[in-house]
Structure formats: C-alpha cells, structure tokens
Amino acid sequence: DAKTTQPTSMDCAEGRAANLPCNHSTISGNEYVYWYRQIHSQGPQYIIHGLKNNETNEMASLIITEDRKSSTLILPHATLRDTAVYYCIVRGLTGGGNKLTFGTGTQLKVEL
Amino acid sequence: DAGVIQSPRHEVTEMGQEVTLRCKPISGHDYLFWYRQTMMRGLELLIYFNNNVPIDDSGMPEDRFSAKMPNASFSTLKIQPSEPRDSAVYFCASSFSGSPLHFGNGTRLTVT
C-alpha cells in the first residue's frame, strides 16, 4: 500500500471548518484513500473514503486532487468532540485484502 | 448492532503469566483483524483472518503470540508467557469484504 504524509498536529477553533491535508504521491490507480480517527482511549473510527471523486457524508467531506496525489478531509463545523488523531490511509482491495496500515496521523485539537 | 466487542477492557498480569484476549466481531463480517497500539510503534497489524482462516500473521511479534478463530463469532489472541514489553492496547476489528473496518474499544494490557 502507498505511504501517506500528514502534519503531526493542527489546531482549529470550534465552529470553524477543519481542513486536514494528506499527501499520497505514490498512490496507484486501484488504491482508495481512507480516513479514520481515534478519539482518546477508543478504537479507530471510520470517517470516509474515496477513489477519485469527491465524497461527502454526515461526518465529513473528502476532496481528492485530480492527479490523486493528495487529499483533504474537511470537518465543516468542528466541535470539541472532534479532537482526535486523524489517520489518512491508502488501501488497495487486492492482494493484501482489507488490511489497513496506519501511519502516525494528525492530532487535531479543537479549541473554544 | 452492538459493534465489535472485546473483553476484558483492562488486564493486569505478572510477567510469565498467560493472557487471553477475546473478540466478538460484527455478525456477518468475514474478516477479523488484531492490532496492537503502543506509543513507540503506533497501530500495528498483528494478524488477520478471512472466513475464520488466518491469512497473514507476519505481524505477530514472536512465537509467544498466537491467535485463533474457532468460528465466525469469536476470536482469541493469546500471549504465553507474557512480558512487560507486551504492555499495549490490543484492538480487534472486523469487516465485510471490501467494506471499512469496524474497531472495538480495545483491551489495555499491563504486564508487570
């Protein structure tokens, strides 16, 4: 699976949009971009995933660049409960199956 | 849907003792994963199963670690004998082919 690069930490004011970047310049054509988050003392939680089109669900939006070498996770109105470590993962669905390889992620801190 | 259920939530044991961690995946899921999380190494995949069969155990650190999945609704991760460096949070996750992984809330293991 392709490797990803994320900033170590970010801060965001409550109520503002949180934009979390991820670089995955070695992504291949059949690999998806997945985002998970981990709130302290809990298991990782799935947020969203996409292949090449932008995606939106009730939690977040995912913007993938046209060349697919980077993406941005957007939390439109961040709250204190969104404070967590956010993991960007590139995952193929062949060969290794469903497994996810986690990097170090971005620690997002939402403040008043 | 109760989600992935892990037990116990916390385990404290002495070095040399056998430790058994348990996981009940989401009903209908055909993949089951065991991860370990430490401050130093982050989230590491230990082993995963497909239809109760171990597919990749390359992440299992030593022969002291073993995992079984006797049926579709139960899996165990055993450490025998345990050592202080095994102290970590152990997560179980399950998924249906191609779908996102769902994680349990983990077992925090402390070996003294």
Side-chain angles (χ1 to χ4, degrees):
Chain A
D1 291 340
K3 195 169 181 178
T4 62
T5 304
Q6 299 178 251
T8 303
S9 63
M10 294 182 64
D11 293 333
C12 178
E14 189 177 34
R16 305 297 292 267
N19 297 285
L20 292 90
C22 180
N23 286 322
H24 32 78
S25 58
T26 60
I27 192 170
S28 59
N30 64 348
E31 290 180 317
Y32 289 73
V33 180
Y34 277 74
W35 283 84
Y36 278 74
R37 73 180 183 184
Q38 187 174 24
I39 296 169
H40 184 60
S41 298
Q42 297 182 19
Q45 176 190 24
Y46 166 77
I47 301 173
I48 198 168
H49 74 283
L51 184 62
K52 53 183 176 182
N53 296 321
N54 298 338
E55 302 287 344
T56 295
N57 63 20
E58 66 279 3
M59 291 182 69
S61 295
L62 173 60
I63 308 298
I64 302 174
T65 58
E66 194 168 340
D67 63 7
R68 301 187 69 238
K69 293 184 177 182
S70 65
S71 60
T72 301
L73 178 75
I74 301 172
L75 307 178
H77 306 286
T79 71
L80 298 178
R81 288 176 295 179
D82 292 321
T83 293
V85 178
Y86 286 77
Y87 297 98
C88 169
I89 302 166
V90 172
R91 173 197 190 202
L93 296 183
T94 60
N98 285 343
K99 68 179 182 181
L100 292 175
T101 302
F102 287 83
T104 54
T106 296
Q107 172 67 62
L108 175 68
K109 186 175 181 182
V110 181
E111 300 172 304
L112 292 171
Chain B
D1 182 359
V4 176
I5 300 173
Q6 292 186 245
S7 64
R9 281 302 307 272
H10 302 275
E11 176 79 43
V12 180
T13 191
E14 292 184 347
M15 182 174 63
Q17 297 298 307
E18 177 180 294
V19 175
T20 299
L21 311 181
R22 297 172 175 79
C23 175
K24 177 178 170 56
I26 293 173
S27 176
H29 282 187
D30 57 350
Y31 281 86
L32 184 138
F33 305 80
W34 283 100
Y35 283 83
R36 177 173 69 174
Q37 186 171 34
T38 61
M39 289 292 293
M40 291 294 292
R41 300 174 68 91
L43 270 161
E44 303 173 279
L45 176 65
L46 300 178
I47 185 172
Y48 75 94
F49 296 82
N50 178 217
N51 292 323
N52 313 337
V53 176
I55 301 301
D56 183 354
D57 65 354
S58 60
M60 295 285 263
E62 300 171 34
D63 291 345
R64 298 184 297 106
F65 286 70
S66 63
K68 293 183 180 179
M69 192 165 185
N71 57 61
S73 58
F74 184 66
S75 177
T76 59
L77 178 67
K78 185 177 293 186
I79 308 172
Q80 165 64 18
S82 58
E83 296 183 5
R85 59 193 167 121
D86 301 331
S87 297
V89 182
Y90 291 80
F91 289 103
C92 176
S94 71
S95 74
F96 182 70
S97 297
S99 72
L101 274 65
H102 295 259
F103 285 78
N105 278 327
T107 294
R108 181 174 296 277
L109 173 64
T110 303
V111 183
T112 61

